[in-house]
Amino acid sequence: MRIFIDSANIEEIKDINAMGFLAGVTTNPSLVAKEKRDYREVIREICAIVEGPISAEVIAQDYTGMMQEAEMLAGIHPNVVIKIAMTEDGLKVIRDLRQKGIKTNATLIFSATQALLAARAGASYVSPFLGRVDDTANDGLILLEDIMTIFNQFTLDTEVIAASIRHPVHVLQAARIGSHIATVPYKIIKQMIKHPLTDAGIQKFLQDWQEAFQ
Ligand code: E4P
């Protein structure tokens, strides 16, 4: 399973990218709004930092508006993937962008049938939102499992991005289920790196070394 960061913050992205495992970035309108910066400039900077797919979401929700924004965003860099919400117009946009050779990420996926339709329309990625499913007292991991079963059964070339990750166990379970990608917030990536026994082990090695040689 590849690891993306779910962030529009340049410092966070630079910090994680320097560690060598980062394979892509996802943003959404809420994440970009937090930065209070020019949208295009943020996406351009991210593309210059990370080598891999960079998801940028359209704000418009009508067919024409989505197509216009998608073409503008796709023009920023060849690695830009257009994030489209799973709606009727969204599916038409996904199909037409595919015909133009522009990659899409179908977002706000909350059912396996939505994921199947988006894949059949031509989405390069689908993003089931695990945490937001959990918030409704349902199990986001069951959704992910259903999507993986269907996609593997019919060997669809659409990749699945486990999104709305709320804790490291979501990442662990997504990997067990066979998700192609998990997009993980900065804070959770940091939690995944750290282990108290690693810290204690370093301390003990250092202490033993100092006692013997200093
Ligand atoms: C995914 O692409 C979304 O940007 C993100 O994972 C949403 O997460 P949230 O539910 O924590 O806002």
Side-chain angles (χ1 to χ4, degrees):
M1 185 175 76
R2 309 202 296 289
I3 303 294
F4 288 7
I5 185 169
D6 195 28
S7 174
N9 181 281
I10 299 297
E11 293 317 310
E12 289 182 1
I13 294 168
K14 276 188 184 162
D15 184 27
I16 299 303
N17 189 54
M19 292 182 230
F21 57 79
L22 194 66
V25 180
T26 54
T27 66
N28 65 38
S30 307
L31 292 171
V32 176
K34 266 207 296 195
E35 301 306 309
K36 299 197 189 319
R37 296 185 50 206
D38 180 76
Y39 190 15
R40 271 177 279 198
E41 204 176 288
V42 171
I43 299 299
R44 196 170 297 119
E45 271 186 49
I46 297 173
C47 290
I49 298 164
V50 180
E51 254 181 67
I54 312 299
S55 285
E57 191 158 341
V58 294
I59 312 297
Q61 287 308 314
D62 64 294
Y63 174 86
T64 310
M66 279 192 269
M67 285 300 286
Q68 278 168 359
E69 278 182 40
E71 293 195 39
M72 177 275 288
L73 290 166
I76 295 175
H77 193 280
N79 287 351
V80 170
V81 172
I82 308 300
K83 240 175 151 183
I84 308 282
M86 174 61 201
T87 61
E88 291 187 17
D89 272 0
L91 289 170
K92 294 175 197 163
V93 170
I94 287 169
R95 178 204 54 196
D96 289 352
L97 290 178
R98 173 140 194 146
Q99 276 164 9
K100 287 173 181 279
I102 297 173
K103 290 189 170 176
T104 55
N105 174 355
T107 190
L108 291 165
I109 295 287
F110 292 97
S111 76
T113 47
Q114 285 184 316
L116 177 59
L117 296 181
R120 287 301 187 198
S124 309
Y125 304 92
V126 293
S127 291
F129 275 36
L130 307 191
R132 293 194 198 185
V133 173
D134 292 356
D135 290 343
T136 63
N138 289 289
D139 189 342
L141 292 168
I142 291 178
L143 168 63
L144 182 62
E145 224 160 26
D146 284 346
I147 294 172
M148 292 317 301
T149 303
I150 293 166
F151 279 32
N152 291 334
Q153 191 151 302
F154 300 108
T155 50
L156 297 175
D157 65 0
T158 304
E159 291 198 292
V160 178
I161 305 179
S164 187
I165 296 280
R166 297 282 166 78
H167 47 72
V169 177
H170 266 156
V171 182
L172 171 68
Q173 298 286 37
R176 279 191 178 140
I177 290 167
S179 187
H180 304 103
I181 298 154
T183 188
V184 189
Y186 180 75
K187 187 181 139 215
I188 296 166
I189 295 178
K190 289 282 176 160
Q191 288 174 330
M192 288 163 63
I193 294 167
K194 219 172 161 49
H195 196 290
L197 291 181
T198 305
D199 295 345
I202 291 169
Q203 277 310 313
K204 178 78 172 100
F205 286 152
L206 206 61
Q207 187 190 332
D208 290 347
W209 187 266
Q210 281 165 350
E211 278 169 16
F213 299 114
Q214 285 173 5

